[in-house]
Amino acid sequence: MPRRKAVRTSTLSTALIGFSLVAGGSALSMGLASLGARPGPQSPARQVGVVGPDGRGDPRGCIFDERLASYAAGWPFDLCDCPYPPACDDPINRDAAIPTPATPMKVVRIRVVVFANDDGSDPTSVLGEVEDQIAVLNADFAQHRFYFQHTVDFINSTAARIGAIPATVFAENPGVQCNVYVVATNGSSATGPWESQALADEGGVLMSEDHFASDLHVLTHEMGHTLGLWHTFHGSQLNIACGVGPCHDCSESVGAANTDLVGDHCSDTPPMLAGGFATCTSPTGIDPCSGRPWGAMPENYMDYAGALLPGCDMLFTPQQSGRMHCWSADELSAWFSAPGDLNGDGFVNIADPIFLKDYLFGGGAAPNPLCRGDVNGDGGIDIADMIYLLNYLFSQGPAPTDGC
């Protein structure tokens, strides 16, 4: 059952930043803020130390093409001059991470936070809707070998519900789980894994209550960002929108040979313009850099096309899947539930065989996902798994298997 929390009185003078899907139009929105966040783990190769003349920036900021473009007039470096490109932007690393049906499932811990008014009225969602939305999320990611193990909290805070204070005031344990906030505002957004806020209180996913619906895939879109994906139109429409012109070294142009290295860093998604929320088609037109027609992939989760239409969004490409596995393994592995962690608390200890015993013999909750209960890998879930886990913990037995 969800845990009802007392409203906290602390304040935080920042906002969730990242990618944004703004309801009711085709606005392309993203922010850049200077936040006093606790940095998450960083690979030395990503510590490029890019800081603008106004002091704003991010240790790995040179990969933010659009954000840099927004400040291009005053930033004394080339937009594409990244001396230490991120490892997962290398197509060799990306392709090596593309999962197969035999790839072990990455079980990601998420916490869904539903806000209501101070008196408990008008919640942004209810438990049944949350369960339905998570079922859609897991169905969308299943063939890409991700599963989302969730908890739900209901919090009474009118201010957080309407965006008067940041929802991230109510962050819990962002170093070991992704916080997903459902609010009564018009936009949805997410923090990318390369951002220093990814494992800090300021990170997470912000979901508009209108987007948090089981017949839509907006949460899938935002979770794609969280795990390492850009929009499919990254490097085309967004570079134009940020005022640096349509054609430069960072542009993703139709027919170019470098589409693995610019734009969304996936050559199996075409250079394209952003689709409209209410139509399941990609805009037509001519790429001004190549003179060729823009590509189309409106069914991709990372486009805007049909975001508010049931039945439009339906796929990630193999290279997108590889990017998510690469980036999440590099930067977000603390969110993964390890084999044997049957109760989802982030540890493998005596509580897990007890959890399994309660499930098998006491009517307790099932492992989530259920296949994780098969810790000995024999295809079933029974007392042998409980004994196997006890032997691992106390008799130097073999480690638990994934089971999924």
Side-chain angles (χ1 to χ4, degrees):
M1 294 294 291
R3 304 183 301 277
R4 184 170 295 277
K5 300 292 184 67
V7 176
R8 303 178 189 176
T9 58
S10 58
T11 59
L12 182 65
S13 58
T14 183
L16 186 77
I17 69 168
F19 310 88
S20 179
L21 180 63
V22 181
S26 58
L28 306 176
S29 174
M30 59 189 63
L32 177 62
S34 179
L35 303 178
R38 299 190 309 272
Q42 297 184 16
S43 165
R46 293 188 176 81
Q47 296 177 10
V48 296
V50 176
V51 178
D54 57 359
R56 289 183 282 192
D58 184 274
R60 294 164 286 177
C62 73
I63 64 172
F64 293 106
D65 297 349
E66 295 96 305
R67 293 179 183 180
L68 298 186
S70 298
Y71 298 94
W75 287 47
F77 53 82
D78 186 275
L79 289 178
C80 296
D81 183 17
C82 297
Y84 304 105
C88 294
D89 281 359
D90 185 327
I92 294 175
N93 296 329
R94 176 203 65 202
D95 292 349
I98 293 174
T100 71
T103 298
M105 190 77 75
K106 284 186 170 70
V107 178
V108 182
R109 288 184 293 270
I110 66 173
R111 167 181 173 253
V112 179
V113 183
V114 175
F115 290 102
N117 290 321
D118 293 339
D119 61 2
S121 65
D122 205 10
T124 52
S125 190
V126 296
L127 184 59
E129 291 174 349
V130 173
E131 299 298 328
D132 289 345
Q133 178 70 100
I134 298 302
V136 169
L137 183 70
N138 280 324
D140 290 346
F141 276 93
Q143 72 180 89
H144 304 282
R145 308 304 291 162
F146 286 98
Y147 182 92
F148 298 91
Q149 185 182 69
H150 72 287
T151 59
V152 187
D153 282 344
F154 291 86
I155 295 177
N156 296 343
S157 171
T158 300
R161 178 184 175 278
I162 65 174
I165 63 172
T168 53
V169 167
F170 297 95
E172 282 192 2
N173 303 318
V176 298
Q177 65 183 358
C178 178
N179 287 283
V180 177
Y181 307 97
V182 187
V183 295
T185 59
N186 289 329
S188 295
S189 60
T191 307
W194 43 75
E195 299 190 56
S196 60
Q197 296 86 2
L199 298 178
D201 286 352
E202 295 82 3
V205 177
L206 192 71
M207 288 293 301
S208 165
E209 61 180 344
D210 293 334
H211 296 165
F212 197 75
S214 61
D215 60 346
L216 301 178
H217 301 269
V218 179
L219 180 57
T220 300
H221 174 105
E222 300 301 343
M223 196 59 68
H225 286 315
T226 297
L227 296 176
L229 298 184
W230 295 106
H231 292 120
T232 50
F233 47 86
H234 184 91
S236 53
Q237 181 155 336
L238 286 178
N239 280 329
I240 298 170
C242 287
V244 296
C247 308
H248 54 76
D249 289 343
C250 286
S251 298
E252 184 177 17
S253 183
V254 177
N258 67 339
T259 54
D260 270 326
L261 304 174
V262 295
D264 67 349
H265 296 272
C266 294
S267 59
D268 59 358
T269 61
M272 56 190 289
L273 299 179
F277 298 160
T279 178
C280 196
T281 58
S282 294
T284 58
I286 301 298
D287 172 11
C289 307
S290 67
R292 299 171 65 173
W294 287 112
M297 190 179 279
E299 68 274 22
N300 195 287
Y301 292 123
M302 300 314 296
D303 186 25
Y304 282 171
L308 302 183
L309 289 179
C312 182
D313 296 340
M314 63 183 66
L315 68 83
F316 293 117
T317 66
Q319 291 177 6
Q320 287 177 315
S321 189
R323 273 185 65 84
M324 289 190 287
H325 275 268
C326 186
W327 272 108
S328 63
D330 262 19
E331 302 293 342
L332 306 173
S333 61
W335 289 355
F336 298 162
S337 178
D341 177 18
L342 303 186
N343 61 2
D345 67 355
F347 303 95
V348 181
N349 55 27
I350 187 61
D352 296 296
I354 292 174
F355 182 91
L356 186 57
K357 174 185 73 67
D358 289 343
Y359 165 66
L360 290 171
F361 305 111
N368 181 16
L370 181 61
C371 53
R372 296 303 288 274
D374 180 20
V375 295
N376 65 1
D378 69 356
I381 302 173
D382 51 33
I383 192 171
D385 296 292
M386 189 173 68
I387 294 171
Y388 186 96
L389 199 50
L390 288 168
N391 285 335
Y392 166 70
L393 290 169
F394 301 109
S395 299
Q396 297 184 326
T401 65
D402 178 73
C404 296

